[in-house]
Amino acid sequence: MELYSMTGSQLAGLLAGKEVSPQDIVSSLSRRAAAKEDQVRAYVRFEGGLESIPTEGGAEGKSPLSGLPVSVKDNICTRYFSTECCSRILSGYKPPYDATVVSRLKKAGASIISVKTNMDEFAFGSSTENSCFGPSRNPWDRRCVPGGSSGGSAAAVAADEAVFALGSDTGGSIRQPASFCGVVGLKPTYGRVSRYGLVAFASSLDQIGPITKDVRDSAMLLNVIAGYDPKDSTSVNEPVPDYTACLGRPVKGMRIGVPKEYMVEGIDSQVKESLLRALEEFRRLGAVCEEVSLPHTEFAVPVYYIIATAEASSNLARFDGVRYGFRAADAESLHDMFSRTRGEGFGKEAKRRIILGTFALSHGYYDAYYLRALKVRTLIKNDFDKVFSGFDCIVTPTSPTPAFRLGEKIGDPLKMYLSDICTISVNLAGIPAISLPCGFTGEGLPVGMQIMAGHFKEETIFRLAYAYEQAVSAREKRRPEL
Ligand code: GLN
């Protein structure tokens, strides 16, 4: 088996036994990427190979991630290395500091790959088609999108061009691409992982999380990136357990809720079948599955697109041509410079969101849209609290469909927005959720299932996901043909 196709925990074993060196692993990934990048395009600013960023001062502590490379989404700051959010307006931007997740990884002895993974501009989208560098491809079928916005991270892991990757998830951007690419993606509880150094999209929804080949790797990565950070006032000062310790614990007697609002018309029949089979497997493992209701689910998409665009319009105000990246040439006045920079620097979807968000926040409309959306957000959160008072987990599809074709939804923003229907409520409620593979369609595209749990119950999620993975996906193990 080639090094590039191994999981992080397998590679950690080889490193511990001194059978390979960290450089062997990066070289193997680099060769793989050199051979496959023109088909996948998971990385941006890729120039023929992968290298890791030299660690400053060496690793302080030995951890299971020591010597392992991590690929990072283009909206997570890496000191002195380009971080452009796949937007023209940030072209050439090299942050003077590392995101907290990056510095934590470095401290744990992990290395960071110096080219970043592709994404929709500022994480606005579900397909990577909004990237100023052009879309990534789905390694399972290159006519299809890898999902988004962390599509590059998911495609890199699925194509064996990365061992681990970091993504960000505001409305599904880790979980939906993970499901489209047949890998594992976790959105942690809001506040579990520091957002310091994540270029903000919607600050009350954004979380950074791992995209990995299996559940154990996801737990390993979360162990390092989770925890309180004084530089992020929304990070929570709760102890971080060892997330790998719960793997392998029995799930007998666990109570799983299956919300009826997620199994409705519009869910692809093959996705539905895969999920029903997964529920059967949970029952075989001794869990109890029962139908539950999350009655405000139908409001999640409209509420999200008001809150997320409102926050985005405010967060993106700082990109004015003065402080970061791109500045339009030949402006006649300061005002002209602002408007030209923003006009030329932002792509179409970014402009659409800035306009929508500014409108929702504007005088006279604030109460009718933004304030009302916040109230409905609370109702959505209350729905979850009610269910979690009697259940350990909630299981749903991650996405209503498998990966769609490039170009299929890009001309119709509403269609694109609706592809997040299964993932958005989780961000509005601030709870954690994972996507893991649960089968394939007849056309050979992966299908993902989503497991949610209450705030800070990542361990419960990992326990159930791992039990399922051990029981099923190991026997269904397939790899994309590239
Ligand atoms: N696809 C959703 C959107 O376009 C979610 C994006 C995200 O999670 N960053 O907003």
Side-chain angles (χ1 to χ4, degrees):
M1 197 176 183
E2 298 282 350
L3 293 180
Y4 59 70
S5 57
M6 294 186 183
T7 63
S9 59
Q10 288 170 329
L11 290 168
L14 295 181
L15 285 168
K18 303 236 182 312
E19 289 166 63
V20 299
S21 71
Q23 189 48 48
D24 295 336
I25 299 170
V26 175
S27 306
S28 173
L29 288 175
S30 181
R31 279 196 302 280
R32 173 73 176 174
K36 303 297 172 194
E37 259 304 84
D38 55 336
Q39 295 173 62
V40 182
R41 297 186 205 164
Y43 291 96
V44 294
R45 304 177 295 271
F46 180 80
E47 284 173 1
L50 300 178
E51 278 171 30
S52 54
I53 294 177
T55 40
E56 301 130 28
E60 279 174 24
K62 278 270 169 202
S63 85
L65 285 197
S66 189
L68 293 174
V70 181
S71 298
V72 177
K73 186 175 177 179
D74 202 31
N75 60 351
I76 297 175
C77 288
T78 42
R79 187 167 185 238
Y80 304 149
F81 284 85
S82 294
T83 302
E84 299 176 340
C85 297
C86 294
S87 176
R88 188 166 181 230
I89 208 157
L90 274 175
S91 60
Y93 177 60
K94 293 185 178 153
Y97 63 97
D98 275 331
T100 295
V101 289
V102 169
S103 50
R104 278 177 178 266
L105 285 166
K106 286 182 174 174
K107 278 206 189 101
S111 64
I112 305 293
I113 297 293
S114 64
V115 288
K116 312 288 276 287
T117 57
N118 196 18
M119 58 184 279
D120 289 290
E121 181 178 13
F122 286 105
F124 301 152
S126 314
S127 67
T128 73
E129 290 167 292
N130 294 327
S131 165
C132 75
F133 298 106
S136 302
R137 308 292 166 131
N138 190 310
W140 294 91
D141 180 343
R142 271 151 284 139
R143 293 168 298 180
C144 293
V145 302
S149 65
S150 315
S153 288
V157 173
D160 289 334
E161 295 180 32
V163 182
F164 301 106
L166 291 181
S168 66
D169 190 313
T170 306
S173 277
I174 289 175
R175 292 160 286 155
Q176 183 255 24
S179 92
F180 281 13
C181 292
V183 294
V184 175
L186 175 84
K187 189 215 73 95
T189 305
Y190 184 78
R192 179 76 292 190
V193 175
S194 168
R195 293 181 294 109
Y196 179 74
L198 168 68
V199 179
F201 161 4
S203 311
S204 77
L205 301 161
D206 299 339
Q207 265 298 282
I208 297 172
I211 298 183
T212 55
K213 294 186 184 189
D214 66 10
V215 175
R216 178 174 295 279
D217 279 9
S218 185
M220 271 169 72
L221 202 47
L222 187 65
N223 274 349
V224 173
I225 61 173
Y228 175 64
D229 176 12
K231 292 184 186 137
D232 172 6
S233 60
T234 61
S235 78
V236 176
N237 203 348
E238 283 272 325
V240 180
D242 174 2
Y243 291 107
T244 58
C246 61
L247 306 178
R249 292 210 187 123
V251 297
K252 195 161 188 290
M254 212 182 229
R255 291 178 53 75
I256 299 174
V258 185
K260 59 173 190 247
E261 291 82 1
Y262 282 68
M263 296 297 265
V264 290
E265 235 179 284
I267 301 286
D268 179 276
S269 62
Q270 300 196 70
V271 170
K272 203 166 173 176
E273 277 164 33
S274 300
L275 195 81
L276 293 176
R277 271 199 306 274
L279 294 176
E280 270 314 305
E281 195 61 43
F282 287 140
R283 289 198 183 96
R284 259 197 295 280
L285 291 167
V288 180
C289 305
E290 274 173 34
E291 187 179 277
V292 296
S293 175
L294 296 165
H296 296 93
T297 299
E298 62 174 308
F299 304 114
V301 171
V303 162
Y304 169 85
Y305 276 95
I306 290 171
I307 294 176
T309 57
E311 293 186 20
S313 74
S314 152
N315 277 324
L316 268 53
R318 72 192 69 170
F319 302 111
D320 53 10
V322 176
R323 286 164 287 188
Y324 312 94
F326 170 76
R327 175 183 299 175
D330 304 325
E332 282 159 16
S333 64
L334 188 62
H335 186 268
D336 191 39
M337 193 274 284
F338 289 158
S339 73
R340 281 206 212 179
T341 298
R342 289 170 68 83
E344 293 166 28
F346 287 125
K348 207 168 161 183
E349 183 62 24
K351 286 181 190 157
R352 182 180 291 125
R353 297 209 183 195
I354 292 169
I355 293 168
L356 280 173
T358 306
F359 178 77
L361 288 176
S362 58
H363 184 70
Y365 295 101
Y366 182 94
D367 288 4
Y369 295 111
Y370 185 66
L371 196 62
R372 202 171 223 199
L374 291 182
K375 289 180 180 165
V376 183
R377 178 178 186 173
T378 302
L379 297 177
I380 291 172
K381 180 187 167 290
N382 293 347
D383 282 356
F384 281 107
D385 290 346
K386 253 185 231 147
V387 172
F388 286 131
S389 66
F391 290 83
D392 301 292
C393 289
I394 292 175
V395 171
T396 72
T398 307
S399 163
T401 65
F404 47 87
R405 294 283 173 102
L406 281 147
E408 193 181 319
K409 300 195 179 181
I410 194 72
D412 185 344
L414 280 186
K415 243 190 192 167
M416 191 71 94
Y417 296 172
L418 283 170
S419 66
D420 302 314
I421 200 154
C422 303
T423 46
I424 272 175
S425 300
V426 162
N427 302 74
L428 292 169
I431 58 175
I434 204 167
S435 175
L436 77 160
C438 72
F440 289 89
T441 65
E443 297 76 38
L445 287 171
V447 177
M449 89 167 126
Q450 176 171 235
I451 305 176
M452 313 167 186
H455 294 100
F456 296 98
K457 295 278 170 57
E458 280 83 354
E459 286 174 289
T460 312
I461 291 180
F462 281 135
R463 205 169 112 199
L464 186 59
Y466 186 77
Y468 177 83
E469 188 183 65
Q470 293 302 302
V472 170
S473 53
R475 103 178 150 239
E476 279 187 0
K477 206 81 196 150
R478 291 194 211 176
R479 312 192 87 90
E481 280 166 34
L482 268 172

